[in-house]
Amino acid sequence: MTNKMWGGRFQSGPGEIMEKINASISFDQRLHAQDIAGSIAHATMLGECGIIPKADVREIVKGLKAIARDIEAGNFTFSTALEDIHMNVESALKDRVGAPAGRLHTARSRNDQVATDFKLYVRDCLDMFDAQLAGLQKVLAEKALKHAADIMPGFTHLQTAQPVTFGHHLLAYVEMLARDRSRFADARKRMNESPLGAAALAGTSFPIDRAMTAKALGFDRPTRNSLDSVADRDFVLEMLAAASICAMHLSRFAEELVIWSTPQFGFIKLSDQFTTGSSIMPQKKNPDAAELIRAKPGRILGAFTSLMIVMKGLPLTYSKDMQEDKEPAFDAIDNLSLAIAAMAGMAADMEPATARMAAAAGSGYSTATDLADWLVRVLAMPFREAHHVTGTLVARAEAAGIGLDQLSLGDMQSVEPRITRDVYSVLTPEASAGSRTSFGGTAPANVRREAKRWLKLLG
């Protein structure tokens, strides 16, 4: 049996393998809400433009809304033989309302239909990511405000560098997430043009009103070139590119949570909600949620790479290759959403071990730069000379197995006679962090101000 939706030219239906490889309903059924919304907008426009009778429009819209309710309630059977979400819905519509259903596909093609559906879906996902990321930012900003003055080591090369505050460290991720949100918002703005009405590739001879359907579906305007309208998947690629960067940011934070929660660091504690045990080692408390988040960029970037390779060699306009755009994208969307939710949970759940962090902040001669800055500021020494003097003092303290602040004044003066006892005032981690008052610096006053600013922005 041929497919009644398109099989007029064919004497028989597709073979079993063809049907299996051709069908997309197993995954594109998640576009049902967008497909029905697009069909309602299209039918309404056809009626307003006098292309189909308004009585038929009323039947079509009524039937589509009933189908939407059935799908949401789980009372709809999807058919592989009908290939995709578009034909499943249209077939169900015909069963419900009869002949008027046949008018719905006037002046459109599955090519512009799927592009519209997918744009609507991606747009909804971008809005979802924005809300989720704003929630994570708020969790981090609240924790940053609470821990604005708690000292921890700052790292370069994963080696102790300078003391910072825990709040300042958390706000670094708030900034990263802000850029992620900006990228998603930028992608949303650029993609918000409606392909509906481009038809198969060349437009249509019917006097349709594309601006009307664009407005009904919340688009800013219709797309301007029918060929590009059906051939474009940039909007998916942009979403996946931004999602890959966002996942990378989450992965970096996850890596830090993994490190910080080890007994060797002991900077944070994660509750039982986001950890698991070992089947053989009773003492283990593994940060599995963080480790899984750390792994997510692989599959999300993989989705971007997959679609980029699909699209790179396609001539205009639509080719069936483009059906491969959805499964990787859906997987990436689901996994990024899950990763953001898990990270928000862990961020809210984690408790910093502030005493342990503070003790670590003073290790590794982390106030050496403060000593060099003191030599420049108080003794008017050129920084390169101050750097050399400080390096000599660090080597002396290291040889003695003591901290810089434990060197005697005599030891210091044997290297630089002009050093006074005042130097010890800058050699504590608290003094070091507190002195970093430059814009964007780690001083507690800065952190409190920035955390409050973010919380006000986030509402």
Side-chain angles (χ1 to χ4, degrees):
M1 178 183 292
T2 62
N3 190 310
K4 291 184 179 180
M5 297 293 176
W6 52 257
R9 182 188 177 190
F10 292 76
Q11 300 302 311
S12 65
E16 181 181 349
I17 297 300
M18 180 60 196
E19 184 174 286
K20 187 172 183 180
I21 196 173
N22 191 48
S24 59
I25 190 60
S26 63
F27 51 87
D28 71 12
Q29 62 184 260
R30 74 161 70 189
L31 300 177
H32 63 85
Q34 291 77 20
D35 191 74
I36 289 172
S39 290
I40 289 173
H42 184 69
T44 302
M45 178 275 296
L46 292 176
E48 290 298 317
C49 292
I51 297 170
I52 67 174
K54 288 191 176 181
D56 286 353
V57 172
R58 287 191 291 271
E59 288 299 307
I60 289 169
V61 171
K62 182 180 177 181
L64 288 170
K65 288 181 177 179
I67 292 169
R69 289 193 295 271
D70 283 349
I71 295 175
E72 289 295 334
N75 297 325
F76 188 93
T77 301
F78 293 100
S79 168
T80 302
L82 291 169
E83 298 181 14
D84 55 36
I85 185 61
H86 323 300
M87 289 164 58
N88 268 264
V89 170
E90 189 173 336
S91 177
L93 183 66
K94 184 178 181 181
D95 291 342
R96 282 182 178 273
V97 304
R103 300 187 185 278
L104 174 59
H105 211 53
T106 305
R108 77 173 183 185
S109 161
R110 281 188 292 174
N111 294 353
D112 63 332
Q113 191 177 357
V114 70
T116 302
D117 292 359
F118 206 6
K119 269 198 174 185
L120 290 171
Y121 184 84
V122 169
R123 191 178 69 185
D124 289 344
C125 291
L126 293 175
D127 292 342
M128 174 185 67
F129 291 150
D130 184 72
Q132 284 188 292
L133 290 171
L136 176 53
Q137 284 182 295
K138 189 171 183 179
V139 168
L140 293 172
E142 287 171 345
K143 192 142 288 193
L145 183 59
K146 182 178 179 180
H147 297 283
D150 289 331
I151 305 298
M152 68 174 290
F155 299 96
T156 61
H157 310 280
L158 203 56
Q159 304 291 315
T160 300
Q162 294 177 325
V164 297
T165 66
F166 187 55
H168 193 57
H169 197 109
L170 296 180
L171 287 178
Y173 286 99
V174 175
E175 294 291 334
M176 292 183 212
L177 298 174
R179 293 195 296 275
D180 291 326
R181 292 179 65 195
S182 177
R183 274 183 282 270
F184 285 133
D186 191 47
R188 189 192 194 284
K189 182 178 180 180
R190 188 162 25 256
M191 67 165 281
N192 205 36
E193 296 182 343
S194 174
L196 192 58
L201 76 162
T204 178
S205 59
F206 289 98
I208 62 172
D209 186 345
R210 293 188 63 207
M212 180 181 174
T213 51
K215 183 178 180 180
L217 294 170
F219 289 110
D220 294 330
R221 63 191 71 84
T223 51
R224 301 189 70 88
N225 184 284
S226 63
L227 299 173
D228 180 57
S229 300
V230 299
D232 170 43
R233 290 300 182 271
D234 288 4
F235 62 96
V236 191
L237 286 166
E238 280 201 76
M239 179 273 291
L240 291 173
S244 298
I245 297 172
C246 180
M248 175 270 291
H249 288 151
L250 297 176
S251 180
R252 294 184 73 178
F253 193 22
E255 168 69 357
E256 294 197 313
L257 296 185
V258 170
I259 293 171
W260 291 349
S261 63
T262 61
Q264 291 79 7
F265 270 72
F267 284 3
I268 62 167
K269 292 181 180 179
L270 295 173
S271 77
D272 295 351
Q273 292 188 71
F274 294 97
T275 54
T276 63
S278 164
S279 63
I280 189 172
M281 294 171 285
Q283 83 282 8
K284 292 297 293 296
K285 193 172 186 179
N286 301 320
D288 282 4
E291 291 173 2
L292 289 165
I293 291 171
R294 189 173 58 184
K296 293 300 182 186
R299 66 197 298 170
I300 295 170
L301 179 58
F304 171 81
T305 305
S306 173
L307 181 55
M308 182 69 84
I309 291 170
V310 167
M311 298 301 298
K312 73 173 183 63
L314 296 186
L316 295 180
T317 56
Y318 183 84
S319 296
K320 194 68 170 183
D321 313 48
M322 292 166 68
Q323 186 167 290
E324 293 296 314
D325 60 355
K326 294 173 194 64
E327 283 185 283
F330 291 158
D331 182 78
I333 288 164
D334 292 346
N335 278 280
L336 180 59
S337 178
L338 181 59
I340 298 170
M343 184 57 78
M346 278 192 296
D349 177 75
M350 70 178 177
E351 284 299 326
T354 53
R356 182 75 174 261
M357 283 186 175
S363 66
Y365 305 99
S366 64
T367 58
T369 306
D370 299 278
L371 173 55
D373 289 347
W374 185 91
L375 295 172
V376 171
R377 187 171 58 252
V378 177
L379 303 184
M381 188 179 290
F383 182 79
R384 283 300 165 206
E385 184 180 343
H387 188 286
H388 181 77
V389 169
T390 301
T392 303
L393 291 172
V394 167
R396 184 165 295 190
E398 188 175 35
I402 58 176
L404 271 177
D405 59 334
Q406 294 173 304
L407 278 174
S408 70
L409 184 59
D411 284 338
M412 290 194 183
Q413 289 176 336
S414 69
V415 177
E416 172 48 63
R418 294 178 294 165
I419 293 177
T420 67
R421 190 166 296 280
D422 178 65
V423 74
Y424 292 101
S425 67
V426 302
L427 297 183
T428 66
E430 292 76 15
S432 174
S435 71
R436 309 293 172 183
T437 56
S438 59
F439 185 79
T442 192
N446 287 11
V447 175
R448 292 188 186 95
R449 183 169 56 250
E450 276 300 294
K452 289 177 181 177
R453 184 184 74 85
W454 271 115
L455 289 171
K456 184 177 179 180
L457 287 172
L458 294 165

